Amino acid sequence: MHLVLCLEEILLNIFGHCHDSSLVKLARTCRTFKEPALDVLWNALIDLTPLVRCLPKSLWVQSGDLYSFKRHLKEAEWHIILGYTRRVRGLHLIEGSPGLAWSCVKELSKPPPSTVIFPKLSNLQLLWHSLQKIAPFIQHLANSELKRLFLAQPRYLRDVVDAFGEGSPNVEGFWFLARTPHYAANTHTDTISKALCRWTKLTSVSCSAINLTVETLSHLSRRNLRYLAFCPDDAVNHMQSTPSGTPMLSFSPLSELSLSSQSLTSIGRFFDYVHFPGLEILCLALHSRPTMPAFESFFMALRGACGLDTLKTFTLEVVDSGDDEDEGEHEDWNEDEDDSEDEDEDYDESEDDEDNEEDQSSNASFVRDSTPFSITFQCISPLTAFENLRSVTFDTPSPVDLNEQQFLLLASSWPRLEKFSVGESCESSVITPGGFLQLLERCRLLRKLDIMFDTRGYEEILQGHPWRGLTMPEGASISLLHSSIEEESVEALGIFFHVAPFPNFRLETHWNDYSSCSDAPREIYDLMGYTYPIDSPGSSVYSKRWEKVFSLAQNMWEERRKLRHSLETQI
């Protein structure tokens, strides 16, 4: 055997590309391959059944998807289990996957004294709603090597989080996925906040549905935090201005911030007290439609809170809070919990009562924006101060009202712009093919554009290069939303787009979404959230015309490619 194959780093790299069945064979080939092959094979687990199946079959029995032991484990059998679990670095427990019987979990929760079952575990994901049965075992997953912890709003969250808060002091990344965002935003605040304050090496925190306390935010501002996602609605009610007028908190290393709130007003107030000098990515998710005053106050606060030359991505999305659905899920959640009480009668249910009290008190602090309006140039013009913006996205029910000249003014402020999306609500925001070329000239890196095209009267077939020598990056896409088009403009537009960066270029519209219900009454459109096509010949007609434009452009591009290839061959 070549000496290179004796190097563990080389073997680990090679074995990392092998299937599990091949790793088993490699581990049995020779002593040199055994350890690296087993390290790769046991590097990550998606359930706990391998802890049982690694033992002789005479010790366990399988009933359906559940495994159980026939007797208590002896020291020698624990030695076998620990010989494999010492290699595990990632554990992903997904609800619904094959599992262990309750008696089996209890047995695995009793390792030999002073024994850490997973001493090298660094990445733990608990995508499990009900952790009651495996809660005793989870206590043994905490260790000093744990760096990343992902939870999916399990029951008995306090016991789970407390275990890792005390036993895993070196956590660098914490992710909390709420099953019911609106409900979770008002619960678990104290539990999550206390745990975060125990960890001093955090670089990523994602709990977008959780109201973090001011004390927790102050703790995080002193860490080397790069990513933060949370709900600021509760914190803004407890923040105060400093005597000197400087921001109350400063997150200097933070590069990405994601905020989920009931109101844009709350986010604006939050930016009044906090400074993000190095922020590059800002994503906002609102559960109510913002007002004009909320927009104005927010953007004024944003300019003072972020570095004008650092912000690169801005996204504002209005999402459905789903209050009715959340309440239903909450009821089912409590019913499920009641069903499981007989399995563990000693468990303290006081956490649920405290959560409900906290839920009621937090609800009183929510201030919802109202009174719909159009997003005008005046609303978003403060964003022009951020000259390094690469991506700007507005996905709101409020219509975006920008004329061609205003689009071009925005483009002049963002020469590095790569993506500009105004969602579907932009009936009054249009740009002509000529204006589109001016946009490309000012934003040479543009690769994703969502906008309405004004093609009325566009029938002239231009001579020479339709885009005046301009182009878009490879893989670019243009969504024309529900732009109308006349039959007389199809050929001219096909020629106009044939110089786009095919073959991976995409030209899309939203008429395909409408075509399935084009003959439906206005009420159906309103129910589905679509704009009713007034005085149109039918969405299916528009859809077919734009498909003809795209097909014509693609065919012409292919002809040009073949001609170019033929000329190059002759030369």
Side-chain angles (χ1 to χ4, degrees):
M1 185 167 58
H2 198 283
L3 293 178
V4 172
L5 295 179
C6 295
L7 298 177
E8 185 177 7
E9 295 82 359
I10 300 296
L11 292 178
L12 288 174
N13 193 318
I14 296 174
F15 294 168
H17 296 80
C18 296
H19 192 269
D20 288 355
S21 59
S22 299
L23 291 172
V24 173
K25 297 176 182 178
L26 288 169
R28 296 171 177 172
T29 300
C30 62
R31 294 180 180 179
T32 303
F33 289 177
K34 178 181 179 181
E35 290 300 315
L38 288 177
D39 285 343
V40 175
L41 182 62
W42 283 80
N43 181 68
L45 300 180
I46 59 174
D47 60 64
L48 299 175
T49 58
L51 305 187
V52 177
R53 292 186 284 112
C54 69
L55 298 173
K57 290 186 177 181
S58 59
L59 294 176
W60 51 270
V61 63
Q62 180 181 3
S63 177
D65 287 338
L66 294 180
Y67 292 79
S68 58
F69 291 121
K70 294 181 179 180
R71 59 171 175 78
H72 295 296
L73 296 178
K74 298 180 180 180
E75 184 176 352
E77 292 149 1
W78 266 110
H79 181 74
I80 296 175
I81 294 176
L82 297 176
Y84 293 114
T85 57
R86 64 180 176 85
R87 309 172 191 274
V88 178
R89 298 180 181 274
L91 186 57
H92 315 281
L93 300 182
I94 304 175
E95 190 165 17
S97 60
L100 308 180
W102 174 227
S103 59
C104 191
V105 175
K106 291 176 62 177
E107 188 64 29
L108 290 175
S109 302
K110 303 175 183 178
S114 303
T115 299
V116 179
I117 300 180
F118 296 96
K120 295 183 180 179
L121 184 64
S122 61
N123 187 352
L124 176 61
Q125 297 186 23
L126 296 176
L127 306 180
W128 210 304
H129 172 44
S130 178
L131 293 177
Q132 181 184 14
K133 289 187 176 181
I134 62 173
F137 180 77
I138 290 178
Q139 309 291 330
H140 296 282
L141 301 181
N143 66 75
S144 59
E145 295 294 321
L146 190 64
K147 298 293 190 297
R148 291 171 292 278
L149 178 60
F150 189 109
L151 301 178
Q153 194 180 338
R155 301 181 202 160
Y156 315 117
L157 178 69
R158 181 174 302 168
D159 289 348
V160 174
V161 172
D162 285 348
F164 293 108
E166 297 176 0
S168 301
N170 298 318
V171 170
E172 298 176 0
F174 175 75
W175 293 265
F176 181 82
L177 177 63
R179 294 177 62 250
T180 53
H182 179 61
Y183 166 70
N186 310 302
T187 59
H188 306 314
T189 294
D190 289 341
T191 300
I192 298 295
S193 296
K194 290 178 181 178
L196 293 177
C197 288
R198 292 176 178 175
W199 294 319
T200 60
K201 299 182 180 181
L202 288 168
T203 59
S204 297
V205 173
S206 178
C207 45
S208 57
I210 298 298
N211 280 287
L212 298 182
T213 63
V214 176
E215 292 76 14
T216 304
L217 293 175
S218 178
H219 168 79
L220 295 176
S221 68
R222 299 190 295 272
R223 311 277 77 83
N224 191 31
L225 204 63
R226 300 292 181 180
Y227 173 77
L228 176 61
F230 75 106
C231 176
D233 290 344
D234 183 65
V236 295
N237 296 325
H238 300 87
M239 287 184 166
Q240 298 179 353
S241 301
T242 59
S244 61
T246 58
M248 180 179 178
L249 300 174
S250 179
F251 290 79
S252 298
L254 194 70
S255 60
E256 184 172 356
L257 177 65
S258 179
L259 298 177
S260 174
S261 175
Q262 296 294 317
S263 161
L264 186 61
T265 303
S266 296
I267 296 179
R269 291 174 55 199
F270 175 72
F271 276 105
D272 285 333
Y273 301 114
V274 187
H275 189 217
F276 303 96
L279 191 64
E280 297 181 3
I281 301 175
L282 176 60
C283 300
L284 308 178
L286 306 178
H287 295 278
S288 64
R289 183 178 300 188
T291 62
M292 174 71 79
F295 257 103
E296 294 175 349
S297 61
F298 164 73
F299 280 117
M300 183 178 299
L302 180 65
R303 293 184 59 174
C306 302
L308 299 181
D309 58 344
T310 59
L311 190 64
K312 298 179 181 178
T313 299
F314 176 83
T315 301
L316 190 151
E317 177 186 16
V318 176
V319 297
D320 183 10
S321 61
D323 293 343
D324 296 338
E325 179 181 355
D326 292 344
E327 291 174 3
E329 290 185 2
H330 187 187
E331 292 174 0
D332 294 340
W333 186 71
N334 285 331
E335 291 175 1
D336 293 341
E337 187 169 12
D338 292 339
D339 294 340
S340 62
E341 285 181 356
D342 57 336
E343 298 178 358
D344 189 3
E345 297 179 355
D346 296 332
Y347 181 76
D348 185 5
E349 300 292 345
S350 61
E351 179 180 351
D352 294 335
D353 296 335
E354 295 176 5
D355 288 343
N356 291 334
E357 293 176 2
E358 187 175 357
D359 187 13
Q360 296 174 0
S361 62
S362 300
N363 276 335
S365 65
F366 287 154
V367 179
R368 290 184 177 272
D369 295 331
S370 57
T371 312
F373 72 103
S374 296
I375 300 176
T376 63
F377 180 77
Q378 179 183 355
C379 292
I380 63 178
S381 59
L383 278 178
T384 58
F386 300 93
E387 57 185 20
N388 283 325
L389 275 174
R390 265 79 160 173
S391 175
V392 177
T393 302
F394 288 92
D395 188 1
T396 74
S398 300
V400 178
D401 184 8
L402 298 173
N403 59 40
E404 184 172 294
Q405 188 61 34
Q406 292 169 340
F407 269 118
L408 297 179
L409 286 175
L410 294 175
S412 299
S413 303
W414 306 323
R416 299 175 180 82
L417 189 67
E418 299 178 11
K419 175 184 177 182
F420 186 77
S421 175
V422 292
E424 299 184 21
S425 303
C426 58
E427 299 175 2
S428 55
S429 299
V430 295
I431 192 169
T432 63
F436 169 72
L437 295 183
Q438 296 183 54
L439 184 64
L440 282 189
E441 188 172 5
R442 303 181 189 193
C443 302
R444 299 295 182 94
L445 302 178
L446 190 65
R447 59 166 53 259
K448 180 72 169 67
L449 179 65
D450 296 352
I451 197 171
M452 290 274 287
F453 250 52
D454 181 4
T455 64
R456 291 173 298 178
Y458 188 80
E459 303 175 14
E460 181 182 1
I461 299 178
L462 302 176
Q463 299 297 321
H465 195 287
W467 286 11
R468 306 169 191 168
L470 298 172
T471 186
M472 297 181 74
E474 184 71 20
S477 67
I478 300 176
S479 177
L480 301 178
L481 306 178
H482 42 272
S483 300
S484 60
I485 177 176
E486 303 300 325
E487 182 66 35
E488 294 76 13
S489 303
V490 170
E491 183 180 2
L493 288 169
I495 296 175
F496 179 82
F497 282 110
H498 90 281
V499 293
F502 288 99
N504 296 322
F505 172 73
R506 298 194 306 276
L507 183 67
E508 306 166 338
T509 71
H510 288 178
W511 286 118
N512 289 334
D513 299 332
Y514 293 150
S515 60
S516 61
C517 56
S518 58
D519 298 328
R522 179 186 296 271
E523 291 76 10
I524 300 298
Y525 280 83
D526 295 338
L527 181 63
M528 298 179 65
Y530 294 151
T531 301
Y532 188 77
I534 302 176
D535 297 331
S536 73
S539 57
S540 61
V541 175
Y542 284 154
S543 175
K544 291 178 181 179
R545 289 174 183 173
W546 279 116
E547 288 176 0
K548 288 170 62 177
V549 170
F550 183 77
S551 178
L552 178 61
Q554 193 170 22
N555 292 337
M556 293 183 64
W557 174 87
E558 182 64 25
E559 292 178 2
R560 289 178 66 250
R561 187 191 67 81
K562 292 179 179 179
L563 178 60
R564 186 186 303 111
H565 178 71
S566 176
L567 293 175
E568 291 175 352
T569 303
Q570 293 178 6
I571 295 175

